[in-house]
């Protein structure tokens, strides 16, 4: 074995294969280094520092070897950072699979999976570990059996018991034999996800681990509160914590001090010992999309962990997800349906402002806040707080038919059409097509208009109508409102996703500007609107307890009709059929290439895309900060998604090796591509 001069090498397994963190794409492969006596304890999964390209670089040891695979002189391991195995072999394979699926580098995935090391936190936790080890025999004698957790499963019927198949999934969680259980569960409005998740965790064995990922930190705090009340020890791994606290929590999880871990997007890589169950709440929330390269979705990470670690995978949501439905139809997931029961016991009374209510009320029935809405508010305030959900500000207005309000879509790629200026022509921002002779596919009319979101005056209008009632605003510039800060009888005006969840739930709910939320300029605007509405409905009391919901919008629209119907699949079936016909996700694998105009065009010319790949664009981006930048979209059938990912990954590596000029970003399955 040849080495560079000036250092000694150990006799046993003197070669270390190292995966570098954060290197350029064309260098994303293992490199071999010589093990010195000072770094002799280095083993697989440990952090080391090496010299690479003249810089001190972090790396993870993959394995120790007796002989190198190259005849080049090996440089030494510069330093062993810690003897902690921060990346076990199974987690390394998960990172490699995530990188392959997302056309990224393993080094970038490792950077997402590993928090920065904090020496003081490691020293403090090591001391705590030694102290616990000394007291372990005494604690073991006084410790209660794992089955005694302050709960008696025979006392009450749990919400999860109503869903056929959930008990079977939990009984097979962590089983080394047979197929890995994976399922999606759409909860009825009366069932809180925190209770179902806590019950599932309670059903695991004392040595089995659980991981729960939620999109928002408030969701994590709500589940943590429930687990604390039940006496279940757990850790919260959140990206909002400081580096010292975060690394100490990471190390406690790593050494198996706790078996239950909660967190948001960054916790998907948490090294839970003996992971038996992974739960993801509200998988369709855009907060679970990683904004850093290689942009993996939390769903993708958990799928890879389920395959590698054989842990059960459970997706909980208040609304059906298009992606999960597609996975269920392909046999990857099982859909857990509830046992039939009285509708009034599992959801509030939901009414849409139909033509009958509008005509009965008269001219005010066409207003943004009709008298029927005021009646719902007054009735609700007699029993408790009421929620008023308004569309989030900042949505890009979509173009729709002035007569039937059908959104204008590009006839070539089915993306939403945009209006150039006030009276300019319609054009597509995805494929660049200009549509001068547009006709509505529903009513054949030619006139279109922008659907404008107008929700800024809602709080002021309600304050004038109810001057003696406490009114609070949540979301946007007003910030968040804590759950325990909701008065007993108050009006809460909130944007989607910012609604506080009081302990006693809301007595009533208004869903305002429904048409505006549906008019968002995105191909999934209707599905996203239903998800946000159902999230608000899940915070309202059941009809048996007086809960009611009023939807102010066009009652004949399929998305609004889906809210009124109970457990109907008609809407989502239609969405899936339309997407299949239009070749939209999840029936196609889509990638987005964004960057400098010349770099984008050069990349498309150089990359060897699989046969049959459709290329849309590149199209120049619009906006004050988009000068000289362009975007292209490529798509391919899902069965060949790995071919597309490999081709893009190779193209990125080749571009990096050539040191091509200009910035470029490649994302697979971005949520806002159309």
């Amino acid at each position: 074995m040849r080495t560079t001069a000036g250092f000694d090498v150990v006799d046993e397994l003197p070669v270390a294969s190292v995966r570098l963190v954060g290197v350029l794409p064309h260098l994303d492969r293992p490199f071999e280094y010589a093990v010195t006596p000072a770094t002799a304890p280095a083993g697989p999964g440990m952090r080391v520092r090496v010299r690479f390209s003249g810089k001190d670089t972090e790396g993870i040891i993959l394995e120790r070897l007796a002989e190198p695979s190259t005849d080049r002189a090996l440089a030494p391991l510069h330093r062993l950072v810690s003897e902690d195995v921060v990346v076990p072999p199974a987690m390394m394979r998960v990172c490699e699979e995530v990188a392959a699926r997302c056309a990224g580098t393993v080094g970038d995935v490792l950077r997402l999976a590993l928090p920065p090391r904090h020496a003081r936190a490691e020293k403090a936790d090591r001391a705590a570990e030694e102290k616990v080890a000394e007291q372990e025999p005494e604690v073991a004698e006084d410790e209660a059996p794992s089955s005694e957790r302050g709960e008696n499963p025979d006392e009450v019927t749990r919400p999860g018991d109503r869903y056929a198949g959930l008990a079977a999934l939990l009984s097979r969680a962590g089983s080394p034999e047979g197929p890995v259980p994976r399922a999606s569960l759409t909860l009825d409005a009366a069932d809180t996800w925190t209770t179902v998740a806590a019950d599932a965790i309670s059903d695991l064995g004392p040595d089995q681990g659980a991981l729960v990922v939620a999109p928002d930190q408030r969701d994590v705090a709500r589940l943590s509160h429930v687990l604390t009340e039940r006496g279940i020890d757990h850790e919260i791994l959140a990206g909002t914590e400081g580096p010292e606290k975060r690394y100490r929590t990471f190390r406690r999880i790593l050494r198996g001090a706790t078996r239950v871990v909660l967190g948001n997007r960054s916790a998907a890589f948490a090294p839970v010992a003996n992971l038996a169950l992974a739960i993801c709440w509200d998988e369709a929330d855009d907060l679970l999309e990683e904004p850093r390269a290689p942009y993996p979705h939390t769903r993708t990470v958990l799928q890879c962990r389920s395959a590698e670690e054989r842990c059960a995978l459970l997706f909980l949501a208040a609304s059906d997800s298009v992606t999960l439905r597609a996975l269920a139809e392909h046999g990857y997931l099982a859909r857990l349906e509830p046992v039939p029961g009285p509708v009034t016991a599992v959801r509030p009374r939901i009414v849409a402002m139909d033509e009958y209510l509008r005509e009965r009320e008269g001219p005010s029935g066409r207003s943004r806040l009709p008298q029927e809405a005021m009646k719902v508010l007054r009735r609700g305030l007699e029993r408790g707080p009421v929620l008023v959900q308004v569309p989030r500000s900042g949505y890009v207005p979509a173009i729709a038919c002035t007569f039937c309000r059908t959104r204008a879509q590009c006839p070539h790629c089915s993306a939403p059409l945009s209006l150039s200026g006030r009276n300019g022509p319609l054009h597509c921002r995805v494929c660049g097509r200009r549509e001068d002779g547009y006709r509505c596919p529903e009513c054949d009319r030619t006139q279109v208009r922008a659907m404008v979101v107008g929700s800024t005056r809602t709080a002021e209008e309600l304050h004038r109508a109810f001057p003696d009632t406490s009114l609070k605003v949540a979301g946007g510039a007003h910030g968040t409102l804590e759950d325990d800060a909701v008065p007993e009888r108050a009006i809460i005006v909130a944007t989607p996703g910012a609604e506080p969840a009081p302990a006693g739930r809301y007595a009533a709910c208004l869903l305002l500007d429904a048409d505006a939320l549906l008019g968002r300029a995105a191909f999934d605007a209707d599905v996203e609107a239903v998800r946000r509405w159902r999230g608000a409905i899940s915070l309202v009391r059941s009809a048996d307890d007086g809960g009611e919901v009023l939807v102010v919008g066009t009652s004949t629209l399929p998305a609004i009709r889906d809210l009124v119907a109970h457990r109907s699949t008609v809407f989502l079936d239609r969405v899936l059929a339309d997407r299949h016909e239009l070749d939209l996700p999840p029936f196609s694998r889509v990638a987005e290439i964004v960057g400098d105009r010349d770099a984008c065009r050069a990349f498309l010319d150089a990359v060897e895309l699989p046969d049959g790949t459709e290329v849309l664009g590149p199209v120049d981006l619009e906006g004050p900060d988009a000068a000289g930048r362009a975007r292209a979209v490529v798509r391919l059938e899902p069965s060949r998604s790995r071919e597309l990912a490999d081709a893009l990954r190779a193209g990125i590596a080749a571009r990096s090796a050539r040191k091509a000029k200009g910035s470029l970003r490649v994302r697979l399955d971005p949520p806002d591509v159309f």
Side-chain angles (χ1 to χ4, degrees), residues 336-403:
L336 306 184
E337 301 287 352
V339 177
V343 176
T344 56
V346 297
R347 57 174 264 171
R349 177 175 177 264
I350 304 174
V351 177
M353 279 294 295
D354 56 15
E355 287 300 316
Y356 170 76
L357 292 176
R358 295 183 188 276
E359 292 294 338
R360 186 182 68 176
E361 186 173 319
S364 65
R366 305 288 176 181
S367 64
R368 182 169 176 266
L369 277 169
Q371 287 300 316
E372 184 67 23
M374 296 302 179
K375 292 178 182 178
V376 171
L377 289 178
R378 292 190 185 96
R379 290 195 298 265
L381 288 172
E382 294 175 357
R383 302 185 301 271
V386 297
L387 173 66
V388 179
Q389 188 196 72
V390 293
R392 188 187 305 271
S393 60
Y395 279 149
V396 179
I399 305 302
C401 174
T402 56
F403 180 76

Side-chain angles (χ1 to χ4, degrees), residues 79-110:
R79 180 166 60 93
L80 176 62
V81 176
S82 172
E83 294 187 19
D84 291 337
V85 181
V86 294
V87 185
M91 181 57 66
M92 180 61 74
R93 291 191 292 270
V94 169
C95 293
E96 292 172 351
E97 179 64 16
V98 170
R101 290 193 182 195
C102 299
T105 66
V106 180
D108 282 342
V109 178
L110 287 172

Side-chain angles (χ1 to χ4, degrees), residues 172-182 306-307 309-312:
R172 290 191 49 79
S175 174
E177 299 178 356
V180 178
R182 305 182 182 98
S306 176
E309 302 180 51
R310 293 189 57 82
C311 66

